[in-house]
Amino acid sequence: MVEEQATNSKIGAVLVVGGGIGGMQASLDLANAGFKVYLVEKSPAIGGVMSQLDKTFPTNDCAMCTLAPRMVECGNHINVEKLTYSEVESIDGTPGAFKVRVRKKARSVDPDKCTGCGECMESCLVRNYAYLKPLTPELLELAPDETAEIDRILSEHEGEKGALLPVLQGINAHYNWLPPAAVSKVSEALDVPLARVLRIATFYNMFSFEPRGELMVRVCLGTACYVKGGRRILEAVKRQLNIEVGGTTEDLRFSLETVSCLGCCGQSPVMTVNDDIYGYLAQDKIPDILASYT
Amino acid sequence: MVYRTNAMICTCTNCISNGALQVKDALEKEIKKQHLENDVRVVPTGASGLCVKGPILVVQPEGIFYQLLTVEAVPHLVEEHFLKGRPVKSLMYVPPGEEAPIPNIRDIPFFKNQRLIALRNRGLIDPDEIEEYIARDGYRALAKALTSMTPEKVIAEIKASGLRGRGGAGFPTGQKWEFCRASPETPKYIICNADEGDPGAFMDRSVLEADPHSVLEGMTIGAYAMGGTQGYMYVRAEYPLAIKRMKRAVEQARDYGLLGKDIFGTGFDFDLDVFQGAGAFVCGEETSLIASIEGQPPEPRMRPPFPAQSGLWGKPTNINNVETWANVPVIINWGAEWFSQIGTDTSKGTKVFSLAGNINNAGLVEVPMGITLRQIVYDIGGGIPNRKSFKAVQTGGPSGGFIPSDLLDLSVDYDRLQEAGAIMGSGGMIVVDEETCMVDMAKYFLEFTTSESCGRCNACREGLQAMYQILTNICAGQGKDDDIELLEELAPAVKDGSLCALGRTAPNPVLTTLRYFRDEYEAHIKEQRCPAGVCKALIAYSIDPEKCKGCMLCVKNCPQGAISGEKGQPQTIDQEKCIKCGACHEVCKFEAVTVR
């Protein structure tokens, strides 16, 4: 490489665009091979989005375990020059002799003196809501009798291994949705991080994070129902209630969901309104069925 | 108390939705009114099988079968049958296209051609009463295993029977048990997978609702054979009645000393909890199901290690399907030799199918392996309703495939179905007629698997999404010439790149429809035509003036007000206003509304 450089006067420096896990690894490989590396990153710090992941595929390694050593190494490597909070504006030239124009945005912080303590962020009055959206106090407060109800559900599963799902089911059965206050209480009581509770709760179709109507209309789209026109039944219900799937009527009376098979395939197409099951449906029956609940 | 007659009324979810509980109340009231309460007993049973005709009443011991009961029909029925001894013909089963009713359940083709093992007690016992199960040889197999067989002998018996997993993959049950027994770690866990997620399948629900103790007994025998001490029954949340009946069965078994400490005084301990799912298809996958019980995010993980080595809480775990467990007591009672006589060389015993879709006798059937599809669809299922013609049968749900009419004589066993591109699956069997669009069906299954993919493997998460998008385009009339080739390229990539069976089998519906119904794909792409008249973008509804009587029923039901015309005169549809909802087609009594 060095000889080549001498003969054709090409420059042994590399620009890496993007300081995520891929960019950092590329920078380190090149830097260790003896190249000077310029690592350009749009956001104020290298690292990218990997830190937001819990585990990586397929080995289940923790993301930070992969990420952190590379961040430290990139930060210290003598051959890596980091251009953070910067963007590439133009590229000219040919392979081996590029000229790149980088806009370095105003940081208003002297990087040589900053220790990364984060004090300025904490005390700044203008919050970055994209990252730190606070829950409004009224959402986080539970009435005393509701607290008692959640305590009762929690105590039913006290000391049980894997109590999280049954507890969430209990709360969902009580409220017909998962109020944020209840979820954060569960997170505290079971000592499971809120992010993890949410990750599990959002996985299952059963839970809703918005208040649902008193009457749950569930239109079955199991195979048998689908073959016999379940989709048309769904359209008819949507027209009748004037809501989409997952929606709730304004008076909080009806919520509409689809379900993949209620196991009543003998009477398809089927829908349920709370615990009442309606079979052998046709579009013209829908208005009467829904009207019987108002 | 001995009764002259037992009136067995089906109270499964299906029949309840048709008013079975009201009919039962009316029946009890009427019997009392006629002073027959000491002669006739009303017994609530689970899942009699012929779901489409519910509510169903079978009068035993004669076996007179009554269908489609209503509260209004009850007084006449009680007076005629129970008081005067004259069975009521008008409430009996009439085969499609015939006139003479068949009074006896044993003569009805739907029941006559079945062979019951897993469903041996259906419609014959009250699932809420353990004594009734015991009276039908219940818990005899458990006593036999515990008192006269070693665990090795039990496993050897199951192995010799040739029983294979009924959840779909068909792994030999005995071998699975042996692996778990061989694991040195303790405690060991025994799980019953009742997370019946396949849309269009309700076998497990019916077994749990009709005969919960048979599953409990099977699990307890399995626990004895493998050395398990704690069991879990994972039931999906969509089956509230099954959960209720199962919980009651567990309590009763505990009261009778058939669960808990020192069962039958042999020093063997085993207890069981019912665990409720929360609506995630992937939880039917065993590693995902384990994670769900542990309270972890329910995503599948790599195997090995297999659950038999490291499963629930990192301990050896055995998971079998509901139907597999229900077969176990019978094999122990009657012996492996008897069991292995039923079925084919590689698939022994019987299989329960939930027959649904465009078929006359939709319901639950249990048939010996090796029966042909034709026998199931025509002899048992009674053929296709409304004079339509048979197009295909779908087995194995979103993991399976479509089998066309020229393969109707295919023998139903694990290997033949696999060769045809479908799978046995858990037992969903959906019959579709000529008015079903195969491209639309493939799209339907991919929509399901796309939304249920847990998102862990790229190939499944992104690949299925890409395939779904292509199919959506084809159905919207925007298909491109090379779409079929692209689908054929994506399908194996998704299969190879996925960890669990969800991704590895999800392309099957696309592949089988491409294999057997390629012409339909081509009609959509090249001719902009949906031959079955389903895909909205490619069809139009019109009214045949020759057939239209001007009854105005369609006008009344059109949500758009798109149909106009004078009373008694042929109507016309305004294509500008029409949203193709099909309401007119559904309500027309003269078949005057045509799709093209």
Side-chain angles (χ1 to χ4, degrees):
Chain A
M1 277 291 188
V2 181
E3 280 167 36
E4 221 178 284
Q5 193 187 331
T7 52
N8 59 16
S9 75
K10 286 188 175 170
I11 302 159
V14 185
L15 179 96
V16 174
V17 182
I21 180 70
M24 288 192 297
Q25 184 63 47
S27 305
L28 287 173
D29 287 346
L30 288 159
N32 289 333
F35 290 94
K36 167 80 180 175
V37 177
Y38 295 94
L39 176 58
V40 181
E41 166 61 36
K42 189 164 73 174
S43 70
I46 56 169
V49 296
M50 191 176 179
S51 60
Q52 292 165 20
L53 302 177
D54 174 16
K55 294 203 168 52
T56 52
F57 179 79
T59 49
N60 261 357
D61 282 338
C62 116
M64 271 318 278
C65 307
T66 315
L67 185 67
R70 287 168 179 79
M71 282 178 77
V72 174
E73 214 181 324
C74 260
N76 295 334
H77 206 292
I78 197 160
N79 274 353
V80 181
E81 186 171 335
K82 291 148 302 286
L83 301 168
T84 50
Y85 211 30
S86 303
E87 278 182 67
V88 173
E89 289 216 317
S90 66
I91 303 176
D92 299 310
T94 53
F98 283 114
K99 201 166 198 146
V100 181
R101 195 183 174 87
V102 177
R103 171 183 288 270
K104 200 165 183 181
K105 290 181 256 183
R107 191 184 277 274
S108 307
V109 173
D110 184 346
D112 291 337
K113 289 183 184 158
C114 176
T115 59
C117 68
E119 282 287 324
C120 53
M121 226 172 118
E122 296 270 301
S123 50
C124 181
L125 294 175
V126 185
R127 291 274 166 197
N128 184 349
Y129 281 102
Y131 288 95
L132 304 163
K133 191 170 183 182
L135 285 166
T136 47
E138 56 265 33
L139 267 180
L140 277 177
E141 227 156 80
L142 284 170
D145 56 325
E146 288 177 337
T147 315
E149 178 64 26
I150 291 172
D151 282 336
R152 189 190 61 75
I153 296 169
L154 280 165
S155 65
E156 265 178 30
H157 301 280
E158 203 171 346
E160 238 172 63
K161 283 198 277 185
L164 181 58
L165 191 56
V167 166
L168 290 177
Q169 284 170 337
I171 294 172
N172 195 62
H174 178 69
Y175 289 99
N176 204 15
W177 68 296
L178 294 179
V183 176
S184 64
K185 193 171 164 60
V186 169
S187 152
E188 260 170 52
L190 297 180
D191 197 21
V192 182
L194 186 60
R196 193 170 183 79
V197 177
L198 288 174
R199 174 160 181 224
I200 289 166
T202 50
F203 198 97
Y204 296 100
N205 299 333
M206 189 180 180
F207 304 122
S208 165
F209 297 90
E210 277 166 26
R212 287 187 282 199
E214 310 152 54
L215 297 163
M216 292 301 303
V217 182
R218 292 193 173 90
V219 179
C220 182
L221 287 183
T223 320
C225 290
Y226 188 84
V227 168
K228 294 188 120 182
R231 180 76 76 192
R232 292 199 292 274
I233 300 299
L234 177 65
E235 295 296 324
V237 175
K238 272 158 75 173
R239 279 199 302 273
Q240 190 68 27
L241 294 176
N242 201 15
I243 48 175
E244 287 299 307
V245 174
T248 301
T249 51
E250 270 176 28
D251 55 359
L252 283 182
R253 184 91 179 126
F254 291 100
S255 282
L256 175 61
E257 278 183 359
T258 61
V259 53
S260 35
C261 204
L262 293 158
C264 297
C265 312
Q267 301 167 346
S268 48
V270 175
M271 76 172 192
T272 60
V273 181
N274 282 1
D275 293 335
D276 306 334
I277 306 174
Y278 296 92
Y280 309 116
L281 288 174
Q283 291 188 61
D284 54 331
K285 289 186 189 168
I286 301 295
D288 290 342
I289 292 175
L290 294 175
S292 70
Y293 288 91
T294 45
Chain B
M1 185 107 193
V2 180
Y3 294 89
R4 172 165 60 93
T5 299
N6 284 313
M8 323 292 288
I9 179 150
C10 176
T11 53
C12 70
T13 304
N14 256 311
C15 288
I16 288 177
S17 77
N18 276 346
L21 293 180
Q22 289 85 329
V23 171
K24 177 173 166 274
D25 289 345
L27 207 54
E28 278 167 348
K29 227 167 86 190
E30 197 62 32
I31 286 170
K32 213 166 189 157
K33 198 169 135 197
Q34 302 283 4
H35 306 295
L36 290 167
E37 66 267 33
N38 292 329
D39 294 315
V40 182
R41 188 175 73 130
V42 180
V43 187
T45 67
S48 58
L50 194 52
C51 303
V52 74
K53 303 288 184 196
I56 286 169
L57 174 76
V58 183
V59 183
Q60 298 285 16
E62 306 93 307
I64 306 294
F65 179 91
Y66 292 116
Q67 64 175 21
L68 299 171
L69 288 181
T70 55
V71 174
E72 294 74 38
V74 168
H76 178 67
L77 174 77
V78 171
E79 192 186 329
E80 284 292 306
H81 189 136
F82 297 122
L83 199 63
K84 300 179 182 162
R86 289 193 296 236
V88 183
K89 284 209 169 82
S90 61
L91 292 168
M92 289 176 185
Y93 173 80
V94 184
E98 290 176 35
E99 274 167 22
I102 304 178
N104 200 305
I105 187 167
R106 284 177 281 269
D107 300 325
I108 296 175
F110 178 82
F111 294 102
K112 199 169 68 181
N113 293 316
Q114 297 191 39
R115 171 131 199 198
L116 304 181
I117 294 180
L119 298 173
R120 58 196 175 278
N121 290 327
R122 77 156 177 213
L124 295 174
I125 60 167
D126 179 349
D128 280 339
E129 298 302 331
I130 189 171
E131 284 100 342
E132 302 208 354
Y133 178 68
I134 292 172
R136 296 262 311 153
D137 281 349
Y139 290 106
R140 209 182 85 179
L142 179 65
K144 184 178 168 188
L146 256 52
T147 55
S148 68
M149 291 168 90
T150 60
E152 288 80 9
K153 180 87 200 339
V154 175
I155 293 182
E157 197 73 17
I158 298 295
K159 264 181 105 170
S161 73
L163 178 66
R164 293 170 69 173
R166 297 292 193 250
F171 192 82
T173 308
Q175 220 174 326
K176 204 172 183 175
W177 288 19
E178 210 169 40
F179 290 148
C180 188
R181 172 151 189 91
S183 285
E185 278 205 68
T186 52
K188 290 176 184 168
Y189 295 103
I190 307 297
I191 298 178
C192 171
N193 184 350
D195 190 57
E196 189 173 46
D198 279 4
F202 54 96
M203 302 75 54
D204 296 351
R205 174 180 71 72
S206 302
V207 174
L208 294 179
E209 284 179 9
D211 199 9
H213 286 286
S214 70
V215 183
L216 278 189
E217 187 182 2
M219 288 181 76
T220 316
I221 295 171
Y224 171 70
M226 286 174 268
T229 46
Q230 172 66 40
Y232 288 95
M233 167 84 60
Y234 191 102
V235 192
R236 74 195 282 246
E238 286 87 342
Y239 292 169
L241 186 62
I243 293 170
K244 198 177 113 200
R245 289 200 175 145
M246 200 66 219
K247 283 188 171 160
R248 186 176 161 85
V250 170
E251 271 168 35
Q252 285 181 336
R254 274 192 200 132
D255 287 349
Y256 277 68
L258 297 165
L259 271 182
K261 296 258 175 245
D262 196 21
I263 297 171
F264 283 124
T266 54
F268 168 64
D269 305 336
F270 179 68
D271 209 345
L272 187 135
D273 284 320
V274 179
F275 194 95
Q276 191 185 333
F281 176 62
V282 76
C283 285
E285 202 278 341
E286 56 180 12
T287 58
S288 174
L289 187 149
I290 288 172
S292 179
I293 296 180
E294 288 174 344
Q296 308 281 345
E299 292 170 0
R301 62 159 175 77
M302 276 221 270
R303 290 172 299 179
F306 287 92
Q309 283 106 37
S310 170
L312 190 62
W313 321 113
K315 300 292 178 191
T317 305
N318 177 275
I319 302 187
N320 279 123
N321 169 268
V322 171
E323 200 189 325
T324 317
W325 289 121
N327 270 299
V328 170
V330 187
I331 295 173
I332 298 297
N333 260 339
W334 291 75
E337 203 180 320
W338 169 83
F339 186 83
S340 59
Q341 282 167 2
I342 308 166
T344 64
D345 282 353
T346 53
S347 307
K348 303 291 184 198
T350 58
K351 178 78 192 90
V352 183
F353 288 102
S354 58
L355 197 57
N358 303 121
I359 188 141
N360 274 316
N361 299 336
L364 202 67
V365 302
E366 182 167 0
V367 289
M369 299 271 193
I371 192 172
T372 64
L373 281 172
R374 186 182 299 281
Q375 283 171 294
I376 297 180
V377 173
Y378 287 97
D379 297 350
I380 296 175
I384 317 296
N386 304 331
R387 286 169 294 163
K388 302 267 166 48
S389 66
F390 173 89
K391 185 169 194 172
V393 54
Q394 207 278 345
T395 67
S399 312
F402 289 86
I403 298 168
S405 54
D406 45 339
L407 289 180
L408 260 179
D409 290 309
L410 192 77
S411 136
V412 175
D413 65 50
Y414 289 99
D415 308 285
R416 296 292 92 69
L417 285 173
Q418 184 106 40
E419 282 164 24
I423 61 164
M424 175 78 83
S426 53
M429 194 174 264
I430 312 287
V431 180
V432 298
D433 66 12
E434 55 190 322
E435 284 196 354
T436 308
C437 169
M438 291 323 226
V439 188
D440 182 63
M441 283 314 289
K443 187 183 110 188
Y444 161 77
F445 280 115
L446 275 197
E447 185 181 356
F448 178 78
T449 39
T450 305
S451 74
E452 291 294 342
S453 166
C454 75
R456 185 153 176 215
C457 308
N458 276 315
C460 172
R461 183 183 67 227
E462 305 295 334
L464 290 179
Q465 183 70 44
M467 290 173 76
Y468 173 63
Q469 195 55 50
I470 295 171
L471 290 173
T472 309
N473 288 346
I474 296 178
C475 289
Q478 292 158 358
K480 289 194 276 300
D481 284 342
D482 56 352
D483 275 351
I484 294 180
E485 286 72 36
L486 194 54
L487 283 174
E488 280 170 334
E489 198 184 322
L490 278 167
V494 171
K495 284 186 165 199
D496 292 345
S498 301
L499 269 181
C500 81
L502 194 158
R504 281 208 300 266
T505 56
N508 282 352
V510 181
L511 287 175
T512 49
T513 44
L514 272 173
R515 180 161 153 192
Y516 300 118
F517 300 95
R518 204 183 182 90
D519 52 329
E520 280 197 35
Y521 280 82
E522 282 165 356
H524 279 76
I525 297 171
K526 293 187 179 136
E527 300 164 39
Q528 302 284 306
R529 184 172 65 86
C530 177
V534 173
C535 298
K536 275 189 184 183
L538 306 177
I539 56 166
Y541 286 92
S542 54
I543 295 174
D544 184 348
E546 300 277 303
K547 286 183 181 165
C548 182
K549 303 266 191 286
C551 70
M552 312 284 277
L553 198 57
C554 53
V555 181
K556 214 177 87 194
N557 279 292
C558 180
Q560 293 298 99
I563 306 176
S564 55
E566 306 221 335
K567 199 172 167 71
Q569 295 298 317
Q571 311 287 311
T572 51
I573 300 178
D574 181 349
Q575 297 297 336
E576 295 282 302
K577 286 188 189 164
C578 177
I579 55 166
K580 296 165 188 169
C581 67
C584 47
H585 184 67
E586 270 176 27
V587 295
C588 184
K589 292 187 171 65
F590 310 103
E591 294 178 10
V593 181
T594 52
V595 201
R596 137 185 88 70

